[in-house]
Amino acid sequence: QKEVEQDPGPLSVPEGAIVSLNCTYSNSAFQYFMWYRQYSRKGPELLMYTYSSGNKEDGRFTAQVDKSSKYISLFIRDSQPSDSATYLCAIKEAGKSTFGDGTTLTVKP
Amino acid sequence: EAQVTQNPRYLITVTGKKLTVTCSQNMNHEYMSWYRQDPGLGLRQIYYSMNVEVTDKGDVPEGYKVSRKEKRNFPLILESPSPNQTSLYFCASSSLAGVSYNEQFFGPGTRLTVL
């Protein structure tokens, strides 16, 4: 079993929709929870990180962590065509990072 | 401009011919890391470094070496490349100030093909 499992997608939504991206993890020792966005042919960019259960909001993006269920989510409100990318969850323990396989999102105008 | 640079960006080589992929950052970051990305497998961590002269294995270190002699540089060395190391490689750096990972940057990637 993988340490981090990500809903595979792909996802295709109309512009303005709310998008939910999800990951589960198995190791309770994980300390930090990240979401990255990767455009085609580019390196990932860090969107959000958190280290506690609960919600963290940044503009249209909300990261949610439930440590008791070992479940993390990223919500995108009012999705835009420019949000079309692959989204990767990642979980960190000290310096070691484990990534999900990514979910490719397409937002159609 | 804050950035992580990798060289070369593209490389085609043959089995067994030693190669080095360089990574350099200009942000005085303590933490640097190497990843490989393969279709359907996401990003997998190869090695990371928390500071100068401190390196640790990630999930897939076999066949790779790293060194961190200076803060800004973190080269990835393939002593005897094999075809299963054909992949897209990313270097990343981040600040460890406090416990914040907010400042984190990835390089543009190095596409390596081993024949």
Side-chain angles (χ1 to χ4, degrees):
Chain A
Q1 184 192 357
K2 285 186 176 183
E3 284 191 298
V4 179
E5 299 270 6
Q6 184 167 358
D7 287 354
L11 276 179
S12 180
V13 301
E15 184 174 354
I18 297 174
V19 176
S20 171
L21 303 164
N22 306 294
C23 291
T24 57
Y25 63 96
S26 57
N27 186 347
S28 300
F30 287 133
Q31 300 169 314
Y32 301 98
F33 307 90
M34 279 87 151
W35 284 97
Y36 294 83
R37 177 174 63 197
Q38 186 176 22
Y39 291 114
S40 182
R41 302 181 194 280
K42 299 284 188 185
E45 55 179 317
L46 179 63
L47 269 180
M48 298 189 73
Y49 89 98
T50 185
Y51 53 87
S52 58
S53 280
N55 292 352
K56 183 176 181 180
E57 204 171 302
D58 184 2
R60 296 184 295 109
F61 298 90
T62 299
Q64 188 176 80
V65 174
D66 182 345
K67 285 189 174 182
S68 62
S69 303
K70 300 190 183 72
Y71 195 87
I72 67 171
S73 298
L74 178 71
F75 298 97
I76 307 174
R77 290 187 302 280
D78 187 25
S79 55
Q80 303 295 309
S82 58
D83 294 328
S84 298
T86 296
Y87 291 81
L88 299 146
C89 64
I91 303 179
K92 208 173 252 245
E93 178 193 358
K96 196 170 177 198
S97 299
T98 304
F99 284 77
D101 290 348
T103 302
T104 299
L105 170 68
T106 302
V107 182
K108 296 185 174 181
Chain B
E1 180 192 353
Q3 60 181 355
V4 178
T5 57
Q6 293 179 227
N7 282 294
R9 293 288 314 281
Y10 302 90
L11 179 61
I12 300 174
T13 189
V14 295
T15 299
K17 186 176 180 182
K18 182 179 178 180
L19 66 93
T20 299
V21 184
T22 64
C23 173
S24 184
Q25 50 96 1
N26 63 359
M27 296 159 282
N28 202 37
H29 284 165
E30 297 86 0
Y31 179 88
M32 297 186 75
S33 184
W34 276 104
Y35 304 88
R36 61 178 290 174
Q37 188 171 35
D38 302 289
L41 293 178
L43 275 162
R44 292 180 292 168
Q45 191 176 38
I46 303 170
Y47 271 96
Y48 64 93
S49 169
M50 302 290 273
N51 215 323
V52 176
E53 301 291 2
V54 180
T55 62
D56 270 301
K57 295 177 181 179
D59 287 327
V60 290
E62 296 80 17
Y64 304 95
K65 285 175 57 177
V66 293
S67 67
R68 187 91 182 273
K69 297 189 189 314
E70 310 165 277
K71 204 171 188 180
R72 64 182 293 126
N73 296 322
F74 191 45
L76 179 70
I77 304 155
L78 285 72
E79 294 268 4
S80 183
S82 62
N84 65 12
Q85 293 177 298
T86 293
S87 188
L88 179 59
Y89 291 87
F90 288 103
C91 179
S93 74
S94 62
S95 169
L96 292 179
V99 290
S100 171
Y101 284 97
N102 257 357
E103 189 177 276
Q104 182 176 72
F105 295 89
F106 275 77
T110 294
R111 187 166 291 282
L112 172 65
T113 301
V114 183
L115 301 174

